[in-house]
Amino acid sequence: MARRALILVDVQYDFCEGGALAVAGGLDVAHSLAAALRDEEFLSAYDVVVTTQDWHIDPGEHFAAPGEEPDFRVSWPVHCVAESDGARIVDELADAVRGIDTVPVIEVFKGHYAAAYSGFEGVTDDDEPLIDRLRAHGITDVDVAGIATDYCVKETALHAAQAGLRTTVLTDFAVGIRAPDVAELYADGFPAAGVLVR
Ligand SMILES: [Zn+2]
């Protein structure tokens, strides 16, 4: 029997309007996801909900060196420093996740000492890799949402598919940085990798 997880990727203040690495539309995604999670019918499709957070302590070249301009592909402005306000999940969504009492919630943190775009590079607070925790829950399918479609959502979805999970990206609940890159992913990149787009 299929068992499905919803993975909410990096819906953190630093990736939303006003944040250190703002993605236009981030707050909209946070609010839409919060509303969806409060809808029993939406939530009933899932056996597990996962949140991932970029959680940097000293991620090396992921942060542009002081005095240097980030290239916004490999190097980025300082963002999502562990324990900082910018690393918090947007309150409304965090409240909605806390309100889930029908299925387990798995919190995953990534990027402590190096860049980590995929949630599958992250670990729970007791250091368990996400894939192990999903397997323990018998998960066969994952839906991926969050920020940003062309970076962490993409890498999380590709990684999930590579791990043998039936993977879908939820376009209504994801937002990207570069529109042409997102369009290319939806049209070609995801389907070629076996990732469904809905
Ligand atoms: Zn980062």
Side-chain angles (χ1 to χ4, degrees), residues 10-24 26-27 54 56 63 77-82 84-90 147:
D10 297 7
V11 189
Q12 295 167 271
Y13 279 108
D14 269 347
F15 296 134
C16 292
E17 290 86 344
L21 183 37
V23 178
L27 286 175
D54 222 13
H56 295 310
F63 287 170
V78 172
H79 62 276
C80 296
V81 171
S84 69
D85 280 346
R88 285 168 43 219
I89 291 175
V90 173
I147 309 171

Side-chain angles (χ1 to χ4, degrees), residues 54-133:
D54 222 13
W55 198 255
H56 295 310
I57 296 169
D58 181 8
E61 293 171 354
H62 186 54
F63 287 170
E68 280 178 28
E69 284 299 308
D71 68 7
F72 291 92
R73 288 190 184 275
V74 173
S75 63
W76 305 88
V78 172
H79 62 276
C80 296
V81 171
E83 311 288 352
S84 69
D85 280 346
R88 285 168 43 219
I89 291 175
V90 173
D91 285 341
E92 191 183 346
L93 179 58
D95 288 347
V97 169
R98 265 192 299 275
I100 295 173
D101 55 10
T102 49
V103 298
V105 173
I106 301 171
E107 293 180 325
V108 170
F109 301 89
K110 62 184 175 65
H112 302 68
Y113 295 103
Y117 294 100
S118 165
F120 287 89
E121 295 174 84
V123 292
T124 62
D125 57 7
D126 52 1
D127 251 2
E128 188 174 11
L130 174 57
I131 189 65
D132 292 356
R133 188 66 69 91

